[in-house]
Coordinates of all heavy atoms in Angstrom, one line a residue:
M439 N 0.8 -1.2 0.0 CA 0.0 0.0 0.0 C 0.9 1.3 0.0 O 1.9 1.3 0.6 CB -0.9 0.0 1.3 CG -1.9 1.1 1.2 SD -2.7 1.4 2.8 CE -3.1 -0.2 3.4
S440 N 0.5 2.3 -0.7 CA 1.3 3.5 -0.9 C 1.0 4.4 0.3 O -0.1 4.6 0.7 CB 1.0 4.2 -2.2 OG 1.4 5.5 -2.1
N441 N 2.1 5.0 0.9 CA 1.8 6.0 1.9 C 1.1 7.3 1.3 O 0.5 8.0 2.1 CB 3.2 6.6 2.4 CG 3.8 5.4 3.3 OD1 3.1 4.6 3.9 ND2 5.1 5.5 3.4
Y442 N 1.0 7.4 0.0 CA 0.4 8.5 -0.5 C -1.1 8.5 -0.3 O -1.8 9.5 -0.4 CB 0.7 8.7 -2.0 CG 2.1 9.3 -2.2 CD1 3.2 8.5 -2.4 CD2 2.3 10.7 -2.2 CE1 4.5 9.1 -2.5 CE2 3.5 11.3 -2.3 CZ 4.6 10.4 -2.5 OH 5.8 11.0 -2.6
K443 N -1.6 7.3 0.0 CA -3.0 7.1 0.4 C -3.4 8.1 1.5 O -4.5 8.7 1.6 CB -3.3 5.7 0.7 CG -4.8 5.5 1.1 CD -5.0 4.0 1.4 CE -6.4 3.7 2.0 NZ -7.3 3.6 0.9
F444 N -2.4 8.1 2.5 CA -2.7 8.9 3.6 C -2.1 10.4 3.5 O -2.6 11.3 4.2 CB -1.9 8.2 4.9 CG -2.5 6.8 5.0 CD1 -1.6 5.8 4.7 CD2 -3.7 6.6 5.5 CE1 -2.0 4.5 4.8 CE2 -4.1 5.3 5.6 CZ -3.3 4.2 5.3
L445 N -1.2 10.6 2.6 CA -0.5 11.9 2.4 C -1.3 12.8 1.5 O -1.3 14.0 1.6 CB 0.9 11.7 1.9 CG 1.8 12.9 1.7 CD1 2.0 13.7 3.1 CD2 3.1 12.6 1.1
A446 N -2.1 12.2 0.7 CA -2.8 12.9 -0.4 C -3.5 14.1 0.1 O -3.5 15.2 -0.6 CB -3.8 12.0 -1.1
K447 N -4.2 14.0 1.2 CA -5.0 15.2 1.7 C -4.1 16.4 2.0 O -4.6 17.5 1.8 CB -5.8 14.7 3.0 CG -7.1 15.4 3.2 CD -7.9 14.7 4.2 CE -7.3 14.5 5.6 NZ -7.6 15.5 6.5
D448 N -2.9 16.2 2.5 CA -2.0 17.3 2.9 C -1.0 17.6 1.8 O -0.3 18.6 1.9 CB -1.3 17.0 4.1 CG -2.3 16.7 5.3 OD1 -3.2 17.5 5.4 OD2 -2.0 15.8 6.1
Y449 N -0.9 16.8 0.8 CA 0.1 16.9 -0.3 C 0.0 18.3 -0.9 O 1.0 19.0 -1.2 CB 0.0 15.8 -1.3 CG 1.3 15.8 -2.3 CD1 2.4 15.2 -1.9 CD2 1.1 16.6 -3.4 CE1 3.5 15.3 -2.8 CE2 2.2 16.6 -4.3 CZ 3.3 15.9 -4.0 OH 4.5 16.0 -4.9
E450 N -1.2 18.8 -1.2 CA -1.4 20.0 -1.9 C -0.8 21.2 -1.1 O -0.2 22.1 -1.7 CB -2.9 20.1 -2.1 CG -3.3 21.3 -2.9 CD -2.9 21.1 -4.4 OE1 -2.6 20.0 -4.8 OE2 -2.9 22.1 -5.2
A451 N -1.0 21.1 0.3 CA -0.5 22.2 1.1 C 1.1 22.2 1.1 O 1.7 23.3 1.2 CB -1.0 22.1 2.5
L452 N 1.6 21.0 1.1 CA 3.1 20.9 1.1 C 3.8 21.2 -0.2 O 4.9 21.6 -0.3 CB 3.5 19.4 1.5 CG 3.0 19.0 2.9 CD1 3.2 17.5 3.1 CD2 3.8 19.8 4.0
N453 N 3.0 21.0 -1.3 CA 3.5 21.2 -2.6 C 2.5 21.9 -3.5 O 2.1 21.4 -4.5 CB 3.9 19.8 -3.3 CG 5.0 19.1 -2.6 OD1 6.1 19.3 -2.7 ND2 4.5 18.2 -1.7
P454 N 2.3 23.2 -3.2 CA 1.3 23.9 -3.8 C 1.7 24.3 -5.3 O 2.9 24.3 -5.6 CB 1.1 25.2 -3.0 CG 2.4 25.4 -2.3 CD 2.9 24.0 -2.1
K455 N 0.7 24.6 -6.1 CA 1.0 25.1 -7.5 C 1.9 26.1 -7.6 O 2.8 26.1 -8.5 CB -0.4 25.6 -8.1 CG -0.3 26.1 -9.4 CD -1.6 26.7 -9.9 CE -1.5 27.2 -11.3 NZ -2.8 27.7 -11.8
E456 N 1.9 27.1 -6.7 CA 2.8 28.2 -6.7 C 4.3 27.8 -6.6 O 5.3 28.4 -7.3 CB 2.5 29.3 -5.7 CG 1.2 29.9 -5.7 CD 0.0 29.0 -5.4 OE1 0.2 28.1 -4.6 OE2 -1.1 29.2 -6.0
V457 N 4.6 26.8 -5.9 CA 5.9 26.3 -5.7 C 6.4 25.5 -6.9 O 7.5 25.7 -7.4 CB 6.0 25.4 -4.5 CG1 7.4 24.7 -4.4 CG2 5.8 26.2 -3.2
I458 N 5.5 24.6 -7.4 CA 5.8 23.9 -8.6 C 6.0 24.7 -9.8 O 7.0 24.6 -10.6 CB 4.7 22.9 -8.9 CG1 4.4 21.9 -7.7 CG2 5.0 22.0 -10.2 CD1 5.5 20.9 -7.5
F459 N 5.2 25.8 -10.0 CA 5.3 26.6 -11.2 C 6.6 27.5 -11.2 O 7.0 28.0 -12.2 CB 4.0 27.5 -11.3 CG 3.0 26.8 -12.1 CD1 2.4 25.6 -11.7 CD2 2.5 27.4 -13.2 CE1 1.4 24.9 -12.4 CE2 1.4 26.8 -14.0 CZ 0.9 25.6 -13.5
K460 N 7.2 27.6 -10.0 CA 8.5 28.4 -10.0 C 9.6 27.6 -10.7 O 10.6 28.1 -10.9 CB 8.9 28.6 -8.5 CG 8.2 29.8 -7.9 CD 8.7 30.1 -6.5 CE 7.9 31.2 -5.9 NZ 7.9 31.2 -4.4
Q461 N 9.4 26.3 -11.0 CA 10.3 25.6 -11.7 C 10.2 25.7 -13.2 O 11.0 25.0 -14.0 CB 10.2 24.0 -11.4 CG 10.3 23.8 -9.9 CD 9.8 22.3 -9.6 OE1 9.6 21.6 -10.4 NE2 9.7 22.1 -8.3
D462 N 9.4 26.5 -13.7 CA 9.1 26.6 -15.1 C 10.3 27.0 -16.0 O 10.4 26.5 -17.1 CB 7.9 27.5 -15.4 CG 8.0 29.0 -15.1 OD1 9.1 29.3 -14.4 OD2 7.3 29.8 -15.5
N463 N 11.1 27.9 -15.5 CA 12.3 28.3 -16.3 C 13.2 27.1 -16.6 O 13.9 27.0 -17.6 CB 13.0 29.5 -15.8 CG 12.3 30.8 -16.0 OD1 11.7 30.9 -17.0 ND2 12.4 31.7 -15.1
F464 N 13.4 26.3 -15.4 CA 14.3 25.1 -15.5 C 13.8 24.2 -16.6 O 14.6 23.8 -17.5 CB 14.3 24.4 -14.2 CG 14.9 23.1 -14.2 CD1 16.3 22.9 -14.2 CD2 14.1 21.9 -14.2 CE1 16.9 21.7 -14.2 CE2 14.7 20.7 -14.3 CZ 16.1 20.6 -14.3
F465 N 12.5 23.9 -16.7 CA 11.9 23.0 -17.6 C 11.9 23.6 -19.0 O 12.0 23.0 -20.0 CB 10.5 22.6 -17.2 CG 10.5 21.5 -16.1 CD1 10.3 21.9 -14.8 CD2 10.7 20.2 -16.5 CE1 10.3 20.9 -13.8 CE2 10.8 19.2 -15.4 CZ 10.5 19.6 -14.1
K466 N 11.6 25.0 -19.1 CA 11.6 25.6 -20.4 C 12.9 25.5 -21.1 O 13.0 25.2 -22.4 CB 11.2 27.1 -20.3 CG 10.9 27.7 -21.6 CD 10.3 29.1 -21.4 CE 10.0 29.8 -22.7 NZ 10.6 29.3 -23.9
D467 N 14.0 25.6 -20.4 CA 15.4 25.5 -20.9 C 15.5 24.1 -21.6 O 16.0 24.0 -22.7 CB 16.5 25.7 -19.9 CG 16.6 27.2 -19.6 OD1 16.1 28.0 -20.3 OD2 17.3 27.5 -18.5
I468 N 15.1 23.1 -20.8 CA 15.3 21.8 -21.4 C 14.4 21.5 -22.5 O 14.8 20.9 -23.6 CB 15.0 20.7 -20.2 CG1 15.9 20.8 -19.1 CG2 14.8 19.2 -20.8 CD1 15.6 20.0 -17.9
I469 N 13.1 21.9 -22.5 CA 12.2 21.8 -23.6 C 12.7 22.5 -24.9 O 12.6 21.9 -25.9 CB 10.8 22.4 -23.2 CG1 10.1 21.5 -22.1 CG2 9.9 22.6 -24.5 CD1 9.0 22.3 -21.4
D470 N 13.2 23.7 -24.7 CA 13.8 24.4 -25.9 C 15.0 23.7 -26.4 O 15.2 23.5 -27.6 CB 14.1 25.9 -25.5 CG 12.9 26.6 -25.2 OD1 11.7 26.2 -25.6 OD2 12.9 27.8 -24.7
R471 N 15.9 23.3 -25.5 CA 17.2 22.8 -25.9 C 17.0 21.4 -26.8 O 17.7 21.2 -27.8 CB 18.1 22.4 -24.7 CG 19.5 22.0 -25.1 CD 20.4 21.8 -23.9 NE 20.2 22.8 -22.9 CZ 20.3 22.6 -21.6 NH1 20.5 21.4 -21.1 NH2 20.1 23.6 -20.7
Y472 N 16.0 20.6 -26.3 CA 15.8 19.3 -27.0 C 14.5 19.3 -27.9 O 14.1 18.2 -28.3 CB 15.8 18.2 -25.9 CG 17.1 18.1 -25.1 CD1 17.2 18.6 -23.9 CD2 18.2 17.5 -25.8 CE1 18.4 18.5 -23.2 CE2 19.4 17.5 -25.1 CZ 19.5 18.0 -23.8 OH 20.7 17.9 -23.1
S473 N 13.9 20.4 -28.1 CA 12.7 20.6 -28.9 C 11.6 19.5 -28.5 O 11.0 18.8 -29.3 CB 13.1 20.3 -30.4 OG 14.0 21.3 -30.8
I474 N 11.4 19.5 -27.2 CA 10.5 18.5 -26.7 C 9.0 18.9 -27.0 O 8.7 20.1 -26.8 CB 10.7 18.3 -25.2 CG1 12.1 17.7 -24.9 CG2 9.6 17.4 -24.6 CD1 12.5 17.7 -23.5
K475 N 8.1 18.0 -27.4 CA 6.8 18.3 -27.6 C 5.8 17.6 -26.8 O 4.6 18.1 -26.7 CB 6.5 17.9 -29.2 CG 7.4 18.4 -30.2 CD 7.2 19.9 -30.5 CE 8.1 20.4 -31.6 NZ 8.8 21.7 -31.1
T476 N 6.2 16.4 -26.2 CA 5.3 15.7 -25.4 C 5.9 15.3 -24.1 O 7.2 15.2 -24.0 CB 4.7 14.4 -26.1 OG1 5.8 13.6 -26.4 CG2 4.0 14.8 -27.4
C477 N 5.2 15.0 -23.1 CA 5.7 14.3 -21.9 C 4.8 13.4 -21.3 O 3.5 13.4 -21.4 CB 6.1 15.5 -20.9 SG 4.7 16.2 -20.1
L478 N 5.4 12.4 -20.5 CA 4.6 11.5 -19.8 C 5.2 11.5 -18.3 O 6.4 11.2 -18.2 CB 4.8 10.1 -20.3 CG 4.3 8.9 -19.5 CD1 2.8 9.1 -19.2 CD2 4.5 7.6 -20.2
D479 N 4.4 11.9 -17.3 CA 4.8 11.8 -16.0 C 4.2 10.6 -15.4 O 2.9 10.6 -15.1 CB 4.3 13.2 -15.3 CG 4.7 13.2 -13.8 OD1 5.3 12.2 -13.3 OD2 4.6 14.4 -13.3
C480 N 5.0 9.6 -15.1 CA 4.5 8.4 -14.7 C 4.2 8.2 -13.2 O 3.7 7.3 -12.7 CB 5.6 7.3 -15.0 SG 5.7 7.0 -16.7
S481 N 4.5 9.4 -12.6 CA 4.1 9.5 -11.1 C 3.6 10.9 -10.8 O 4.1 11.7 -10.1 CB 5.3 9.3 -10.2 OG 5.7 8.0 -10.3
C482 N 2.5 11.3 -11.6 CA 2.1 12.7 -11.7 C 1.5 13.2 -10.4 O 1.3 14.4 -10.3 CB 1.2 12.8 -12.9 SG -0.5 12.0 -12.7
G483 N 1.1 12.3 -9.5 CA 0.5 12.9 -8.3 C -0.7 13.7 -8.5 O -1.6 13.4 -9.3
T484 N -0.7 14.9 -7.9 CA -1.8 15.9 -8.1 C -1.7 16.5 -9.4 O -2.7 17.3 -9.8 CB -1.7 16.9 -7.0 OG1 -0.4 17.5 -6.9 CG2 -2.0 16.3 -5.6
G485 N -0.6 16.4 -10.1 CA -0.6 16.8 -11.5 C -0.1 18.2 -11.8 O -0.2 18.7 -12.9
W486 N 0.5 18.9 -10.8 CA 0.9 20.3 -11.1 C 2.0 20.4 -12.0 O 2.1 21.4 -12.8 CB 1.2 21.0 -9.8 CG 0.0 21.4 -9.0 CD1 -0.3 21.2 -7.7 CD2 -1.1 22.2 -9.5 NE1 -1.5 21.6 -7.4 CE2 -2.1 22.3 -8.4 CE3 -1.5 22.7 -10.7 CZ2 -3.3 23.0 -8.6 CZ3 -2.7 23.4 -10.8 CH2 -3.6 23.5 -9.8
H487 N 3.0 19.4 -12.1 CA 4.0 19.5 -13.0 C 3.4 19.4 -14.5 O 3.8 20.1 -15.4 CB 5.0 18.4 -12.9 CG 6.1 18.7 -11.8 ND1 6.2 18.2 -10.7 CD2 7.0 19.7 -11.8 CE1 7.2 18.6 -10.0 NE2 7.7 19.5 -10.6
L488 N 2.4 18.5 -14.6 CA 1.8 18.4 -15.9 C 1.0 19.6 -16.3 O 1.0 20.1 -17.5 CB 0.7 17.2 -15.9 CG 1.2 15.8 -15.9 CD1 0.1 14.8 -15.7 CD2 2.1 15.5 -17.1
S489 N 0.5 20.3 -15.3 CA -0.3 21.5 -15.6 C 0.8 22.7 -16.1 O 0.4 23.3 -17.0 CB -1.0 22.0 -14.3 OG -1.7 23.2 -14.5
M490 N 1.9 22.7 -15.4 CA 2.9 23.7 -15.7 C 3.4 23.4 -17.1 O 3.5 24.2 -18.0 CB 4.1 23.6 -14.7 CG 5.2 24.5 -15.1 SD 6.6 24.1 -14.2 CE 7.0 22.5 -14.8
L491 N 3.8 22.1 -17.5 CA 4.3 21.7 -18.8 C 3.2 21.9 -19.8 O 3.6 22.3 -21.0 CB 4.7 20.2 -18.7 CG 5.9 20.0 -17.8 CD1 6.1 18.5 -17.5 CD2 7.2 20.6 -18.4
D492 N 1.9 21.8 -19.5 CA 0.8 22.0 -20.5 C 0.9 23.5 -20.8 O 0.8 23.9 -22.0 CB -0.5 21.7 -19.9 CG -1.6 22.0 -20.7 OD1 -1.7 21.4 -21.8 OD2 -2.4 23.0 -20.4
E493 N 1.1 24.4 -19.8 CA 1.2 25.9 -20.0 C 2.4 26.2 -20.9 O 2.4 27.2 -21.6 CB 1.2 26.6 -18.8 CG -0.2 26.8 -18.1 CD -0.3 27.8 -17.1 OE1 0.6 28.6 -16.9 OE2 -1.4 27.9 -16.5
L494 N 3.4 25.4 -20.9 CA 4.6 25.6 -21.6 C 4.5 25.0 -23.0 O 5.4 25.1 -23.9 CB 5.8 25.0 -21.0 CG 6.3 25.7 -19.7 CD1 7.5 24.9 -19.0 CD2 6.7 27.1 -19.9
G495 N 3.4 24.5 -23.3 CA 3.0 24.1 -24.7 C 3.2 22.6 -25.0 O 3.0 22.2 -26.2
L496 N 3.5 21.8 -24.1 CA 3.7 20.4 -24.3 C 2.3 19.6 -24.3 O 1.4 20.0 -23.6 CB 4.6 19.7 -23.2 CG 6.0 20.2 -23.1 CD1 6.8 19.2 -22.2 CD2 6.8 20.3 -24.4
K497 N 2.2 18.5 -25.1 CA 1.1 17.6 -25.0 C 1.4 16.7 -23.8 O 2.5 16.0 -23.8 CB 1.0 16.9 -26.3 CG -0.1 15.8 -26.3 CD -1.4 16.5 -26.8 CE -2.5 15.6 -26.9 NZ -3.8 16.2 -27.0
C498 N 0.6 16.7 -22.8 CA 0.9 16.0 -21.5 C 0.0 14.8 -21.2 O -1.2 14.9 -21.5 CB 0.8 17.0 -20.4 SG 2.0 18.4 -20.4
Y499 N 0.6 13.8 -20.7 CA 0.0 12.6 -20.2 C 0.5 12.3 -18.8 O 1.7 12.5 -18.5 CB 0.3 11.5 -21.2 CG -0.2 11.7 -22.6 CD1 0.8 12.2 -23.5 CD2 -1.5 11.4 -23.0 CE1 0.3 12.5 -24.8 CE2 -1.8 11.7 -24.3 CZ -0.9 12.2 -25.2 OH -1.3 12.5 -26.5
G500 N -0.4 11.8 -18.0 CA 0.1 11.4 -16.6 C -0.6 10.1 -16.1 O -1.6 9.7 -16.6
S501 N 0.1 9.5 -15.2 CA -0.5 8.3 -14.5 C 0.1 8.3 -13.1 O 1.1 8.9 -12.8 CB 0.0 7.0 -15.3 OG 1.4 6.8 -15.3
D502 N -0.5 7.5 -12.3 CA -0.1 7.5 -10.9 C -0.7 6.3 -10.2 O -1.8 5.8 -10.6 CB -0.5 8.7 -10.1 CG 0.3 9.0 -8.9 OD1 0.0 8.3 -7.8 OD2 1.3 9.7 -8.8
L503 N 0.1 5.7 -9.3 CA -0.4 4.5 -8.5 C -1.5 4.8 -7.6 O -2.3 4.0 -7.3 CB 0.9 4.0 -7.8 CG 0.8 2.7 -7.0 CD1 0.5 1.5 -8.0 CD2 2.0 2.5 -6.2
S504 N -1.5 6.1 -7.1 CA -2.4 6.4 -6.0 C -3.8 7.1 -6.6 O -3.7 8.2 -7.0 CB -1.7 7.3 -5.1 OG -2.6 7.9 -4.2
P505 N -4.9 6.4 -6.5 CA -6.1 7.1 -6.8 C -6.4 8.4 -6.0 O -7.0 9.3 -6.5 CB -7.2 6.0 -6.6 CG -6.6 4.9 -6.1 CD -5.1 5.1 -6.0
E506 N -6.0 8.3 -4.7 CA -6.2 9.5 -3.8 C -5.4 10.7 -4.3 O -5.9 11.8 -4.3 CB -5.7 9.1 -2.4 CG -6.6 8.1 -1.7 CD -6.3 6.7 -2.1 OE1 -5.2 6.4 -2.7 OE2 -7.0 5.8 -1.6
M507 N -4.2 10.5 -4.8 CA -3.4 11.6 -5.3 C -4.0 12.2 -6.6 O -4.1 13.4 -6.8 CB -2.0 11.2 -5.6 CG -1.1 11.0 -4.4 SD -0.8 12.5 -3.5 CE 0.5 13.2 -4.5
L508 N -4.5 11.3 -7.5 CA -5.1 11.7 -8.8 C -6.4 12.5 -8.4 O -6.7 13.5 -9.1 CB -5.4 10.5 -9.7 CG -4.1 9.8 -10.2 CD1 -4.5 8.5 -10.8 CD2 -3.4 10.8 -11.2
Q509 N -7.1 12.0 -7.5 CA -8.4 12.7 -7.2 C -8.1 14.1 -6.6 O -8.8 15.0 -6.8 CB -9.1 11.9 -6.1 CG -10.6 12.3 -5.9 CD -11.4 11.5 -5.0 OE1 -10.8 10.6 -4.3 NE2 -12.7 11.5 -5.1
Ligands
LIG246 C1 6.3 13.5 -5.3 S1 4.8 12.8 -5.7 C2 4.2 13.4 -7.3 C3 4.9 14.6 -7.9 C4 4.2 15.2 -9.1 N1 5.1 15.3 -10.2 C5 3.6 16.6 -8.7 O1 3.7 17.5 -9.6 O2 2.9 16.8 -7.7 C6 5.2 11.1 -6.1 C7 4.1 10.3 -6.7 O3 4.6 9.0 -7.1 C8 3.6 8.1 -7.0 N2 4.1 6.7 -7.1 C9 4.9 6.1 -6.1 N3 5.2 4.8 -6.6 C10 4.6 4.7 -7.8 C11 4.6 3.6 -8.8 N4 5.2 2.5 -8.5 N5 4.0 3.8 -9.9 C12 3.3 4.9 -10.2 N6 3.3 6.0 -9.3 C13 3.9 5.9 -8.1 C14 2.9 8.4 -5.7 O4 1.5 8.0 -5.7 C15 2.9 10.0 -5.8 O5 1.8 10.5 -6.3

């Protein structure tokens, strides 16, 4: 059983959108350097990285073991 089943409720407060989106310049450099068009986040959790990458223009896909995190 994943610990994220129990962490999911508080995960958002610990890793809010505002913190994740501050990483956008780091990812933009990589996207531009390698002409990346799509991404798959195989542990997307609450999905804020996918949301940020979507805003940067990538076609995004995600999956996660924890239904609680996805919800
Ligand atoms: C740090 S969190 C997610 C971070 C995510 N990129 C974000 O933007 O919030 C790590 C995630 O890995 C998932 N995970 C752990 N083991 C996994 C596995 N074997 N397969 C898929 N997901 C897994 C957890 O459920 C959890 O949601």
Side-chain angles (χ1 to χ4, degrees):
M439 184 192 321
S440 166
N441 287 335
Y442 283 95
K443 179 181 174 80
F444 306 105
L445 184 60
K447 210 162 61 92
D448 299 319
Y449 188 86
E450 189 70 15
L452 296 168
N453 299 277
K455 175 182 180 179
E456 295 71 29
V457 170
I458 301 289
F459 272 59
K460 280 184 183 157
Q461 302 169 7
D462 63 346
N463 282 332
F464 170 80
F465 282 100
K466 190 171 179 341
D467 284 347
I468 295 172
I469 290 165
D470 291 345
R471 188 177 317 145
Y472 298 105
S473 301
I474 295 169
K475 305 286 184 234
T476 61
C477 73
L478 169 61
D479 185 347
C480 293
S481 298
C482 66
T484 52
W486 284 128
H487 277 113
L488 287 175
S489 179
M490 179 196 63
L491 293 166
D492 177 68
E493 283 199 5
L494 291 176
L496 297 190
K497 181 84 175 167
C498 295
Y499 302 91
S501 65
D502 199 280
L503 186 65
S504 166
E506 291 82 8
M507 287 293 282
L508 291 170
Q509 189 173 21

